[in-house]
Amino acid sequence: MADLSEQLDEMLQEIGGVVNLTIEEREEITQAGANVLSKNLKQATKDAGHYNANRKVGDMAHLADSIQIGKLKGTVTDGSSAVGFTKPDADHSRIARFLNDGTRYIKGDSFIDNARDNSSEEVLKAQSKVFKRIVEGKRGSS
C-alpha cells in the first residue's frame, strides 16, 4: 500500500492538478479526517482499558471523554485541525502520554499511536470524499 503522501499525490493527479483551496475549505477537509480520528481514538482509549464507566471522581471527565478537535493554541490559521486530549479539569494530555509511552513505573501500550496508524486509511477516505465534493463544486461553478 502506498504511503499517505503518495496517496495524496494520486488524488491530486486524479482531479487534474493542484486546486486552490480557501482556508475554510481546508478546514472542512481536515475536519472530516479529525472527526474520524477522534471517534477511533475514543474507542481505542476504551479498548485499551483506560475507561471505567463506574468510576466516580468528582466532575473530572474520563480520559476517553476528554478528546477534543480544534486548532492548536498559538498557531496560524491554515486550515488544519488537531485531535487531542483536553486540559480543563485534568491534564488529560499528560496522562494519555504516560499511558501511551510509559514511564519508569508504567508500561506503555501505544494506544494513541496504534489508533492513529489504524485510522490513517479511514481518515484519508473521509478527507478525499470532502475534497472531491469541493473540487466538483468548483468545476461546476466555472
Side-chain angles (χ1 to χ4, degrees):
M1 181 173 169
D3 69 0
L4 183 61
S5 64
E6 290 171 349
Q7 291 176 12
L8 288 172
D9 288 342
E10 288 173 20
M11 189 171 66
L12 284 173
Q13 287 182 357
E14 181 182 321
I15 60 140
V18 177
V19 174
N20 291 327
L21 297 171
T22 66
I23 289 176
E24 292 78 16
E25 290 167 336
R26 290 178 191 193
E27 285 175 352
E28 189 178 348
I29 293 167
T30 60
Q31 182 71 36
N35 290 338
V36 169
L37 180 57
S38 174
K39 174 186 64 107
N40 292 349
L41 183 56
K42 182 174 185 167
Q43 189 59 49
T45 303
K46 289 180 179 182
D47 291 347
H50 304 307
Y51 186 83
N52 179 353
N54 298 321
R55 184 182 131 255
K56 296 195 192 266
V57 181
D59 295 329
M60 187 183 307
H62 289 286
L63 187 61
D65 296 331
S66 70
I67 296 169
Q68 191 173 40
I69 300 171
K71 179 181 168 288
L72 295 174
K73 289 182 183 176
T75 60
V76 177
T77 302
D78 63 356
S80 60
S81 298
V83 177
F85 295 89
T86 60
K87 194 175 179 176
D89 57 351
D91 194 349
H92 284 112
S93 57
R94 184 172 178 254
I95 294 166
R97 183 176 57 87
F98 288 154
L99 294 171
N100 184 72
D101 298 344
T103 67
R104 184 175 181 182
Y105 305 103
I106 301 170
K107 182 178 184 326
D109 57 12
S110 301
F111 73 102
I112 298 170
D113 300 328
N114 293 337
R116 187 178 330 119
D117 293 345
N118 295 337
S119 298
S120 63
E121 190 172 321
E122 192 178 351
V123 166
L124 183 64
K125 284 180 183 178
Q127 289 178 331
S128 176
K129 184 177 178 180
V130 173
F131 182 70
K132 287 178 181 179
R133 181 180 46 78
I134 290 171
V135 170
E136 290 302 319
K138 287 185 175 208
R139 283 185 183 165
S141 65
S142 304

